Amino acid sequence: MPVSPGQPVVAVLAGEDPPGDLGDVEVRLADDADLADALSGADVLLVWDFLSHAVPAAWRAADTSRVRWVHTASAGVDKVTFPELQAHPAQLTNARGVFDRPIAEFVTGVVLAFAKDLPGSLRLQARGEWRHRETTTVAGRTAVVVGSGPIGRAVADMLRAIGLTVELVGRRAAAGVHAFDELSSLLPTADWLVLAAPLTDTTRGLLDKAALDLLPDHARVVNVGRGGLVVEPDLVAALTEGRIAGAALDVFEVEPLPADSPLWTMENVLVTPHMSGDVAGWRATLQDQFLANLARFRAGEPLANVVDKSLGYVKGASS
């Protein structure tokens, strides 16, 4: 991989909380409005603000002839896999490995919270109401986890540790993994459906009315993947009509979730603001990961976490 002579120029889509010291490089901090200017003539693009939608327009407006590497500080790459970047020789890397355990802990916490009706207890406590209830056990229940990459596998391992049977679903069948075309046969067995897949042409809208109708009425959906995995109006209808028991949603098609969304006020829904993988110290971990790859880039060594831009995830990894 050729590197420009002297200090590499790193354009950083920084957002409100930019990274710290990136070392002996020329750093061009940018927001959405001036990203194109920062990107022109840069060697590297660091998409630190990975929730921004600014990269495609800025890329088209910039001179990207020198760009050799794009890194997004997120596991998902759907906001940076647009046609012009896919056709560009620059390598794309992601933050694979940073969010696996935090998201697995989040999913496990949600499963236990719903099984033990902690949301109901908090509502009753707020009203000062003493009401004895029975809750359910998770032991022996079944979770269907869609997405067999590192996050999905971490979720599966942790759910198994608390007693669930887990059916893992990925792009293709492998040892312990079902292919996507088997999903419809697994949905009727799901007490929990966990979505942890990347957003690709194959996975977009996979949870639609037809899929929801296959779930038992006591099933709950957990989405920690991408909002586009779900056809949101179909999910709202299923929740409203009682065709499924509930949902925990950390990602949405439109973020922030609009104030008029019915999901905000449903008692059987937990809404969180795209935070399932964000734990104390996560930004420092993301920066360390980028710096390690930057050292490889400057030395002309192979980069870690190279994404297959045509598929939308790291080469050699399941999805």
Side-chain angles (χ1 to χ4, degrees):
M1 175 188 300
V3 181
S4 302
Q7 293 178 322
V9 177
V10 181
V12 182
L13 179 55
E16 296 180 356
D17 191 1
D21 184 11
L22 297 182
D24 183 26
V25 295
E26 179 185 335
V27 176
R28 298 178 180 171
L29 292 179
D31 57 20
D32 289 5
D34 57 8
L35 179 60
D37 290 338
L39 186 55
S40 293
D43 302 291
V44 180
L45 170 61
L46 168 56
V47 185
W48 187 254
D49 181 8
F50 54 81
L51 297 179
S52 170
H53 295 269
V55 176
W59 188 275
R60 294 171 189 128
D63 174 6
T64 62
S65 59
R66 278 183 46 171
V67 177
R68 294 293 176 266
W69 172 33
V70 176
H71 177 78
T72 180
S74 61
V77 298
D78 45 287
K79 290 184 174 63
V80 291
T81 48
F82 49 94
E84 291 85 354
L85 180 54
Q86 288 175 317
H88 195 280
Q91 288 192 294
L92 173 65
T93 62
N94 71 351
R96 182 175 183 253
V98 172
F99 301 104
D100 305 355
R101 184 175 178 91
I103 291 177
E105 291 176 351
F106 180 92
V107 172
T108 303
V110 163
V111 168
L112 290 170
F114 272 115
K116 303 307 172 187
D117 193 27
L118 296 186
S121 293
L122 290 172
R123 287 192 295 270
L124 292 168
Q125 180 179 346
R127 298 198 297 263
E129 182 176 345
W130 181 279
R131 186 194 303 171
H132 182 270
R133 288 111 61 223
E134 293 181 346
T135 62
T136 60
T137 182
V138 298
R141 305 287 182 174
T142 296
V144 175
V145 177
V146 182
S148 62
I151 292 174
R153 289 178 182 274
V155 168
D157 288 345
M158 203 167 289
L159 293 182
R160 290 189 184 106
I162 62 170
L164 280 87
T165 297
V166 177
E167 304 292 348
L168 195 57
V169 180
R171 186 171 65 92
R172 55 178 178 267
V177 180
H178 301 275
F180 273 127
D181 59 11
E182 299 177 66
L183 180 59
S184 60
S185 66
L186 295 170
L187 291 177
T189 72
D191 300 293
W192 297 90
L193 174 63
V194 181
L195 303 179
L199 183 61
T200 66
D201 291 341
T202 301
T203 61
R204 184 178 296 277
L206 70 86
L207 189 64
D208 58 7
K209 182 181 185 302
L212 286 159
D213 285 347
L214 293 173
L215 290 168
D217 59 11
H218 64 269
R220 292 184 174 94
V221 172
V222 182
N223 189 7
V224 291
R226 282 291 183 266
L229 301 175
V230 176
V231 179
E232 202 164 284
D234 292 355
L235 177 62
V236 169
L239 290 162
T240 302
E241 297 163 10
R243 289 187 280 119
I244 60 171
L249 307 171
D250 186 55
V251 288
F252 303 88
E253 185 71 40
V254 176
E255 296 182 358
L257 183 66
D260 60 355
S261 170
L263 293 168
W264 283 113
T265 56
M266 292 181 170
E267 288 195 351
N268 58 347
V269 174
L270 174 65
V271 170
T272 51
H274 204 142
M275 55 174 281
S276 61
D278 302 348
V279 295
W282 66 291
R283 288 183 177 86
T285 303
L286 287 172
Q287 181 168 330
D288 289 345
Q289 183 186 56
F290 174 74
L291 288 174
N293 239 0
L294 181 60
R296 296 185 186 97
F297 175 80
R298 299 189 72 172
E301 297 172 353
L303 297 177
N305 290 356
V306 174
V307 172
D308 184 322
K309 291 185 286 186
S310 66
L311 296 176
Y313 45 85
V314 174
K315 292 177 179 179
S318 299
S319 62

